[in-house]
Each structure stands twice: as structure tokens, then as C-alpha cells.
């Protein structure tokens, strides 16, 4: 079995309008948020399970005993096998790209096509209970037709009432420079239901990509100068093995630092996960990024598409750097000496982009997790969901499924 390769680094510090438009009449430009849109609907998603099957409010670390399969679900079917995945559809967006769960069970979801943070309470309906547009708080400069280009939010992680958000830091799909995507920022979340809100704290950090390039060029990882090829990667299209694309953000299992998961580049077939030692001070106190250990993980030639860790370990969604539909789930201890373990999870028909939370306890075949699916390319009456005008008709899926057995 291949182990994760790690290089522990020196404590090296490296140097470092108008809003996105929407057609919703409920938008308040002064408050930079949308009014509540509630729904008492209990309609089923594509998996056929209704909202009445949701277990209700759960803490951010407890999603293994409840959820779409019903309160108290053990993750096993009546015949003793692993229960099939369950799915509901949530409305108002298509390109759900990352999610965090709050202590009251609410989900905060970002869409990689805008800067609107949507608050959902699946027990109370499929529509967002509140929506907050943080576009004006991010210092964006790149526009097209008078509209700010997207930040391409791809990663998030929560610490208390603060949620950290990560842009992809990549170019456009054709390789054009997209400076708005070079954002790492933190919001403070308050309120609940229709009164939920998020405010950006401190100053969004724009130099993370440059810091990573300098770190690689100066052999901060100990593998040799420019061994990871970051300086060349930032000039490429992001969806290729030698491109540059950040999609994973998590705290380490002990909570002492952050982890950056890279969709690309994939170097010598290995996915890259980089420790960021000063996430909170970087955003609220200034300075430049300070990196710790580099982990090179064997995910079958795939990159990191989402990751989340807790005291009992990490769950990783792995997928190709390109747009191929070849996703896998892995569990990992977070230790350099341990290899990630592929799980036999049923991801049929899913485009998983975000992990709701890491369930407590050891990872077993029947451990239940929840994932969001980026459904921007799903056809709605012949039109890709992401191309629909406004929010009418838009939806994405929330799946609950078992991790499955470890793949030998």
C-alpha cells in the first residue's frame, strides 16, 4: 500500500463597483442580501425521499445517525445491507460548490457562479431561508459588461461562528486571467432562519496564489526548487493535470491549522494537500501565508474536489482535474504515515462538490455522510440549469449515502 508522502516545512513566511446581477425582486442593495424565501414544500428530490425524512437540527459533527434516510438511521437497510443513497433537491441555485453546517442544522451553501451565500433549513422546505450577497465586501476589480466576474468559491470550513471561503485561484476555462478568483475570506455568521446573516471580517486575502508560487520556487517544501511546477501551472487552463486550481479547504484533525486541497496540479499522479498555518491571522491581522507540511496523496491520479476533517479523520471527494465524471470518496487519518483509503460509495449520477460534515466515530461501511452536487450542467427542459435566467427552475441535489467498504 502506498503511504501519503509528507515533507515538514520550515516555519517559513513567504511574501506575498457593481454587484453580480440577479433577477430576484427580493434583493435589497443597501443590505446586500435577499429577503427570506420560505417553502413548506415536502416534495421529493430525484432520489425519491421527502423532506419529512430529514432528521431535524443536528450539530455540525453529528450527521451519522440522521438525515435523509430518516431519524435514527443506522445506514443499513431492512435486509441488513448498506442502505441506498437518498436525495432531495434544493432550489434557487444550480452550481452548488461548497457547504458548511451550522449548529442548528442549517446549511450555508455557496454557488461558484456568484457570491451569494444561501441558508437552507431542509426540514422547513427546499428554498433558501435567507440569502446574503457578499460581492461588495470582497474588493473585486474584474468586470464583464459592468458586472463583477465570479470569485468561483470552491472550498469552505467552519470554526465556531466563522466560515472561511476559498476561491479557486485559477484562470478561466480558456486560460484567461481571472483576478477575482484569487480570494480567501472569512464571514461571521449570525441569526437564524429568515434572519440569518453573514458579514465579511477583516480583509479578503488576494496573494495566496503568489505565496504558493514563491514557496514552490524557493523549495519551501524540500523537494527541490519549483518541483511542483506552480509558476508554469498558473498560466494554464485550470482543468488539466498541470493547471492550477484550489478546491479543498478544511481545518486539520486537531484544529491547529488549515489544509488547502488542490484539484490541480496533480504531480506524478499524486494529489497535493498543503498546510496553511496562519489562516485566521492572515485574514484578520495581515501578513503573508505561512505554510507547513505538504502531503502528496494517492487518490488514483485524481485531485481534491472537496475535503473536510474532524478529530476522527478526514473525508475527501476526489475527481479528475478535467471535467470527467470519475469521482471517488476517500477517508484519511490526516497523518503522513497513512494512505488515504478509497471507499466503495455509490456516487452514481452525482457530481459531488461539497461535504456537509464529518460524522463522529470510526469510519465504517455504514457510516452515513451528506454531499451536495453541482448540477449546473443538468438539463432543464433542454437548457443547462446554469443558463436559466434568474433563479426560477434552478435546483441542486443534496445526497445522503453510506461510505461503503474500503476498496482493497
Amino acid at each position: 500500500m502506498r503511504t501519503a508522502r509528507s515533507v515538514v516545512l520550515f516555519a517559513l513566511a513567504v511574501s506575498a463597483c457593481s454587484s453580480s446581477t440577479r433577477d430576484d425582486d427580493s434583493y435589497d442593495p443597501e443590505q446586500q442580501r435577499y429577503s427570506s424565501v420560505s417553502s413548506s414544500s415536502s416534495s421529493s428530490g430525484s432520489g425519491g425521499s421527502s423532506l419529512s425524512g430529514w432528521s431535524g437540527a443536528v450539530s455540525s459533527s453529528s450527521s451519522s445517525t440522521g438525515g435523509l434516510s430518516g431519524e435514527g438511521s443506522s445506514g443499513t437497510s431492512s435486509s441488513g445491507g448498506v442502505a441506498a443513497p437518498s436525495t432531495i433537491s434544493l432550489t434557487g441555485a444550480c452550481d452548488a460548490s461548497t457547504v458548511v453546517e451550522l449548529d442548528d442544522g442549517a446549511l450555508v451553501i455557496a454557488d461558484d457562479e456568484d457570491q451569494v451565500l444561501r441558508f437552507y433549513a431542509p426540514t422547513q422546505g427546499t428554498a433558501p431561508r435567507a440569502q446574503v450577497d457578499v460581492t461588495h465586501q470582497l474588493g473585486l476589480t474584474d468586470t464583464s459588461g459592468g458586472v463583477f466576474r465570479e470569485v468561483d468559491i470552491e472550498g469552505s470550513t467552519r470554526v465556531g461562528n466563522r466560515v472561511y471561503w476559498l476561491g479557486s485561484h485559477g484562470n478561466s476555462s480558456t486560460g484567461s486571467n481571472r483576478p477575482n478568483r484569487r480570494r480567501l475570506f472569512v464571514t461571521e455568521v449570525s441569526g437564524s432562519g429568515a434572519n440569518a446573516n453573514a458579514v465579511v471580517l477583516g480583509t479578503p486575502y488576494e496573494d495566496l496564489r503568489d505565496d504558493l508560487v514563491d514557496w514552490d520556487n524557493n523549495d519551501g517544501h524540500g523537494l527541490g526548487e519549483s518541483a511542483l511546477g506552480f509558476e508554469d501551472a498558473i498560466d494554464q487552463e485550470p482543468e488539466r493535470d498541470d493547471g492550477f486550481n484550489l478546491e479543498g479547504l478544511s481545518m486539520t484533525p486537531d484544529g491547529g491549522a488549515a489544509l488547502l486541497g488542490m484539484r490541480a496540479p496533480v504531480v506524478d499522479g499524486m494529489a497535493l494537500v498543503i498546510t496553511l498555518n496562519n489562516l485566521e491571522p492572515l485574514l484578520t491581522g495581515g501578513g503573508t501565508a505561512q505554510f507547513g507540511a505538504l502531503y502528496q496523496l494517492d487518490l488514483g491520479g485524481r485531485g481534491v474536489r472537496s475535503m473536510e476533517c474532524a478529530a476522527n479523520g478526514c473525508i475527501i471527494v476526489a475527481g479528475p482535474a478535467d471535467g470527467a465524471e470519475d469521482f471517488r470518496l476517500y477517508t484519511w487519518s490526516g497523518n503522513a504515515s497513512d494512505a488515504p483509503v478509497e471507499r466503495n460509495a455509490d456516487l452514481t449520477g452525482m457530481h459531488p462538490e461539497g461535504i456537509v460534515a464529518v460524522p463522529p466515530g470510526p469510519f465504517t461501511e455504514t457510516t452515513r455522510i451528506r454531499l451536495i452536487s453541482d448540477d449546473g450542467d443538468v438539463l432543464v427542459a433542454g437548457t443547462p440549469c446554469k443558463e436559466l435566467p434568474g433563479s426560477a427552475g434552478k435546483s441542486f441535489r443534496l445526497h445522503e449515502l453510506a461510505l461503503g467498504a474500503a476498496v482493497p
Side-chain angles (χ1 to χ4, degrees):
M1 177 180 292
R2 299 181 70 176
T3 60
R5 300 200 298 258
S6 171
V7 180
V8 180
L9 312 179
F10 302 106
L12 175 68
V14 292
S15 60
C17 325
S18 61
S19 169
S20 297
T21 58
R22 288 173 55 90
D23 294 336
D24 301 294
D25 294 334
S26 57
Y27 181 62
D28 182 342
E30 291 186 359
Q31 296 296 321
Q32 298 178 20
R33 70 196 306 274
Y34 295 81
S35 60
S36 168
V37 182
S38 63
S39 171
S40 59
S41 168
S42 60
S43 60
S44 298
S46 60
S49 47
S50 68
L51 289 169
S52 61
W54 198 274
S55 65
V58 292
S59 72
S60 62
S61 62
S62 58
S63 58
S64 62
T65 59
L68 295 169
S69 59
E71 186 169 3
S73 168
S74 65
T76 58
S77 67
S78 58
S79 60
V82 176
S86 300
T87 304
I88 61 172
S89 291
L90 300 177
T91 64
C94 299
D95 297 86
S97 55
T98 187
V99 56
V100 296
E101 183 179 28
L102 305 181
D103 284 336
D104 64 358
L107 305 181
V108 189
I109 292 174
D111 183 306
D112 59 25
E113 295 293 318
D114 59 30
Q115 292 69 246
V116 178
L117 306 179
R118 296 172 173 86
F119 292 73
Y120 291 87
T123 57
Q124 301 174 34
T126 61
R129 300 288 291 168
Q131 304 183 73
V132 182
D133 187 346
V134 297
T135 298
H136 291 297
Q137 303 179 52
L138 299 178
L140 305 183
T141 59
D142 186 21
T143 63
S144 175
V147 178
F148 285 120
R149 297 186 193 273
E150 72 273 15
V151 170
D152 194 24
I153 301 171
E154 294 288 355
S156 62
T157 194
R158 181 174 76 92
V159 180
N161 64 347
R162 293 186 175 184
V163 181
Y164 297 86
W165 306 93
L166 179 70
S168 69
H169 287 70
N171 295 324
S172 73
S173 59
T174 59
S176 298
N177 185 38
R178 291 290 183 263
N180 286 356
R181 300 183 182 189
R182 298 197 286 275
R183 293 294 186 278
L184 174 65
F185 64 98
V186 59
T187 57
E188 184 171 71
V189 176
S190 61
S192 62
N195 296 315
N197 196 19
V199 177
V200 175
L201 301 179
T203 303
Y205 193 64
E206 303 176 28
D207 295 326
L208 181 63
R209 191 179 78 165
D210 291 342
D211 292 347
L212 285 165
V213 170
D214 289 344
W215 172 73
D216 182 36
N217 286 346
N218 294 318
D219 192 23
H221 38 60
L223 299 176
E225 294 181 0
S226 306
L228 303 178
F230 285 172
E231 187 163 23
D232 292 331
I234 63 173
D235 293 327
Q236 307 300 324
E237 297 94 337
E239 295 185 1
R240 45 188 286 173
D241 282 349
D242 60 351
F244 192 96
N245 201 342
L246 290 165
E247 293 210 358
L249 178 63
S250 174
M251 302 306 292
T252 55
D254 65 5
L259 296 173
L260 303 171
M262 303 199 74
R263 174 175 173 174
V266 175
V267 179
D268 296 329
M270 307 292 275
L272 306 180
V273 174
I274 300 165
T275 308
L276 175 61
N277 286 329
N278 62 330
L279 175 63
E280 192 275 336
L282 187 65
L283 298 175
T284 59
T288 56
Q290 298 178 12
F291 302 114
L294 164 68
Y295 302 94
Q296 297 176 271
L297 304 183
D298 185 355
L299 304 180
R302 305 172 187 87
V304 174
R305 303 297 289 271
S306 181
M307 67 184 302
E308 192 60 50
C309 302
N312 55 324
C314 305
I315 297 175
I316 299 172
V317 174
D322 62 20
E325 300 290 326
D326 182 23
F327 296 96
R328 298 288 190 277
L329 277 184
Y330 288 80
T331 52
W332 178 46
S333 69
N335 296 323
S337 59
D338 296 328
V341 177
E342 182 179 348
R343 314 298 301 214
N344 191 29
D346 182 3
L347 301 179
T348 303
M350 302 181 196
H351 190 101
E353 285 278 325
I355 301 161
V356 172
V358 175
F363 298 138
T364 70
E365 178 180 3
T366 58
T367 298
R368 305 288 286 184
I369 66 166
R370 287 177 288 163
L371 305 172
I372 57 169
S373 181
D374 182 337
D375 290 336
D377 292 327
V378 173
L379 296 181
V380 180
T383 300
C385 185
K386 67 171 63 182
E387 296 179 10
L388 296 173
S391 60
K394 290 185 175 180
S395 67
F396 64 92
R397 290 166 294 163
L398 174 64
H399 307 276
E400 185 186 86
L401 63 152
L403 278 176
V407 175

